[in-house]
Amino acid sequence: EAAGAAPAAAEGRAGAGGASSGAAAAAVDAPLLGQRVVLGGLSSRPELNGQRGVAGSFEGGRYAVALEGSGECVRVRPDKLCQDTDEVIAVSDEVLAAAERGDEAVILEW
């Protein structure tokens, strides 16, 4: 019983350390956070395939993506997104920080 508790405690420490490392953890756990993305492979909303947006918060295995033009925010699994490499857009530190916080209102305003 004690041996079973030790790995769980170690996992808890590792998880807590990873969560507190801020931007570094976000880059590993959610590499598209704050990035311009293109949606693809969506079957429930195929009209969104090819749409561009900015990947915001990452919760429950999905990114909140603020779509360009419409201002609509949709939650999308990472495998349905790819980084938009067509155009490089400078994103302010304020918007990146908002993406890390999951502050969708700031991202949509941008």
Side-chain angles (χ1 to χ4, degrees):
E1 207 172 288
E11 284 180 41
R13 283 192 302 276
S20 65
S21 61
V28 172
D29 297 337
L32 296 175
L33 194 64
Q35 300 295 312
R36 194 159 180 246
V37 295
V38 179
L39 285 68
L42 300 173
S43 56
S44 63
R45 296 208 41 203
E47 71 276 11
L48 296 180
N49 290 327
Q51 293 286 315
R52 288 177 163 76
V54 176
S57 62
F58 184 73
E59 295 178 24
R62 294 175 188 255
Y63 285 96
V65 178
L67 299 178
E68 290 181 356
S70 70
E72 180 181 3
C73 191
V74 294
R75 300 202 67 78
V76 184
R77 292 191 327 248
D79 64 325
K80 304 297 182 185
L81 298 172
C82 63
Q83 188 170 8
D84 185 0
T85 57
D86 287 348
E87 183 180 340
V88 176
I89 294 179
V91 178
S92 71
D93 290 339
E94 178 187 358
V95 173
L96 288 174
E100 289 178 5
R101 289 191 311 270
D103 188 347
E104 295 171 15
V106 172
I107 296 167
L108 287 170
E109 185 178 302
W110 173 72

